């Protein structure tokens, strides 16, 4: 598959991970290296009622991800594609 | 007995074997409820339940609480940070080697037992053949004697 390749993982709770896939198993538990996690939140402005999308990013050198939070795995998307 | 076997199966056949490499190290476990636990991982079992000691439980709001011991149910784990000093490949190889060594030992024992059985059976057959030959010899000798007398 795409071992040792950079991948994009979409997870539950509006989280996305971009990192290098080092290992995976049948439950989709994964070991990702050099991973950047993006958490997206939607805030609704009280006055204008418009939706403001906020995302928080952080970097983690080596991460074990439990499979039941994973929704999909794909090659990295260029932002905007 | 069956429960322990299932746990061992999970440890061997999923990535939990790598989580076992984190045992004894200090790291952060992030939970499904957005809170994080940082401390020393004491033990990881086949269901990803993690028992830790000397932990600092950080809520997503930033509140911190210290506990001497802490137990996380496997289902509640979202992430486990892997400390840099762990060499993943070596840990995997070590675990796979341990398992394959144990398996080889068992297989060798089974093979040896089978060989022993086969050998025993062959010896029994040989003995029976020898006895048969000796019988025929004695019969032959007695018929020769009778033939000589007449």
């Amino acid at each position: 598959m795409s071992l040792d390749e950079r991948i994009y993982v979409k997870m539950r709770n509006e989280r996305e991970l971009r990192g290098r896939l080092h290992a995976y198993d049948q439950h989709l538990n994964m070991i990702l290296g050099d991973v950047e996690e993006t958490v997206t939140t939607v805030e609704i402005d009280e006055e204008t009622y418009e939706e403001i999308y906020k995302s928080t990013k952080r970097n983690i050198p080596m991460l074990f991800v439990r499979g039941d939070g994973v929704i999909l795995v794909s090659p990295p998307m260029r932002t905007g594609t | 007995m069956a429960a322990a076997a299932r746990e061992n199966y999970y440890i061997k056949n999923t990535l939990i074997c790598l989580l076992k490499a984190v045992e004894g190290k200090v790291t952060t476990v992030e939970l499904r409820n957005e809170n994080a636990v940082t401390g020393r991982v004491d033990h990881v079992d086949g269901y990803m339940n993690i028992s830790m000691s000397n932990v600092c439980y950080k809520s997503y709001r930033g509140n911190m609480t210290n506990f001497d011991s802490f137990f996380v149910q496997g289902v509640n784990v979202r992430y486990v940070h892997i400390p840099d000093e762990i060499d993943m490949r070596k840990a995997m190889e070590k675990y796979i080697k341990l398992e394959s060594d144990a398996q080889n030992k068992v297989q060798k024992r089974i093979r040896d037992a089978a060989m022993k059985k086969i050998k025993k059976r062959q010896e029994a057959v040989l003995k029976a053949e020898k006895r048969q030959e000796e019988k025929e010899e004695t019969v032959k000798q007695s018929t020769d004697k009778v033939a000589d007398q007449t």
Side-chain angles (χ1 to χ4, degrees):
Chain A
M1 202 181 87
S2 28
L3 275 179
D4 263 348
E5 281 180 28
R6 291 206 69 85
I7 56 162
Y8 162 80
V9 181
K10 188 177 169 90
M11 296 189 47
R12 303 174 84 179
N13 286 76
E14 313 276 325
R15 281 159 192 263
E16 296 160 9
L17 297 173
R18 273 169 217 278
R20 190 173 297 274
L21 180 64
H22 285 289
Y24 67 95
D25 67 8
Q26 71 269 39
H27 299 298
L28 290 190
N29 297 330
M30 295 188 277
I31 307 264
L32 292 175
D34 283 331
V35 35
E36 173 199 291
E37 180 202 34
T38 312
V39 188
T40 309
T41 52
V42 182
E43 288 178 10
I44 303 193
D45 193 333
E46 295 281 314
E47 300 138 31
T48 62
Y49 293 109
E50 65 179 73
E51 295 173 339
I52 313 172
Y53 284 86
K54 276 211 188 134
S55 56
T56 330
K57 290 193 191 200
R58 64 186 174 140
N59 283 314
I60 302 157
M62 185 75 80
L63 193 69
F64 176 97
V65 182
R66 189 176 158 103
D68 54 17
V70 174
I71 297 180
L72 67 83
V73 181
S74 102
M77 296 184 318
R78 299 283 154 247
T79 45
T81 307
Chain B
M1 220 37 193
R6 172 177 295 161
E7 244 192 85
N8 271 329
Y9 174 82
Y10 275 136
I11 296 183
K12 275 193 298 183
N13 296 43
T14 69
L15 274 187
I16 296 193
C17 64
L18 277 179
L19 268 195
K20 301 283 277 177
V22 184
E23 269 178 7
K25 308 276 191 315
V26 173
T27 186
T28 305
V29 177
E30 292 192 32
L31 307 181
R32 242 179 11 181
N33 58 12
E34 320 259 341
N35 298 331
V37 192
T38 309
R40 165 154 301 143
V41 173
D42 282 337
H43 187 256
V44 180
D45 75 0
Y47 302 106
M48 222 189 278
N49 299 329
I50 305 180
S51 56
M52 305 171 72
S53 54
N54 252 339
V55 310
C56 175
Y57 181 80
K58 238 176 285 188
S59 84
Y60 67 96
R61 292 217 195 100
N63 302 346
M64 300 213 278
T65 325
N66 284 322
F67 294 107
D68 281 337
S69 72
F70 201 82
F71 182 87
V72 181
Q73 243 202 344
V75 231
N76 286 319
V77 172
R78 179 180 278 148
Y79 302 134
V80 178
H81 293 232
I82 312 253
D84 292 327
E85 61 250 20
I86 293 191
D87 184 352
M88 290 274 104
R89 182 151 293 160
K90 230 183 251 174
M92 268 200 287
E93 282 177 356
K94 178 168 146 202
Y95 211 93
I96 293 180
K97 190 165 183 298
L98 269 173
E99 282 313 311
S100 70
D101 278 349
Q103 243 179 4
N104 284 349
K105 238 194 220 167
V106 167
Q107 281 180 350
K108 189 165 182 294
R109 217 182 300 161
I110 294 177
R111 228 179 303 147
D112 286 343
M115 288 308 301
K116 240 191 196 165
K117 238 192 198 165
I118 293 176
K119 234 184 187 172
K120 243 190 189 164
R121 226 176 282 162
Q122 282 178 337
E123 282 175 9
V125 165
L126 274 171
K127 247 193 199 155
E129 280 181 7
K130 216 176 181 185
R131 235 179 288 145
Q132 186 72 344
E133 275 179 20
E134 284 176 5
K135 232 196 213 169
E136 289 176 4
E137 261 306 314
T138 48
V139 166
K140 191 166 177 284
Q141 281 180 353
S142 58
T143 50
D144 282 347
K145 245 191 216 161
V146 167
D148 279 345
Q149 281 180 351
T150 52

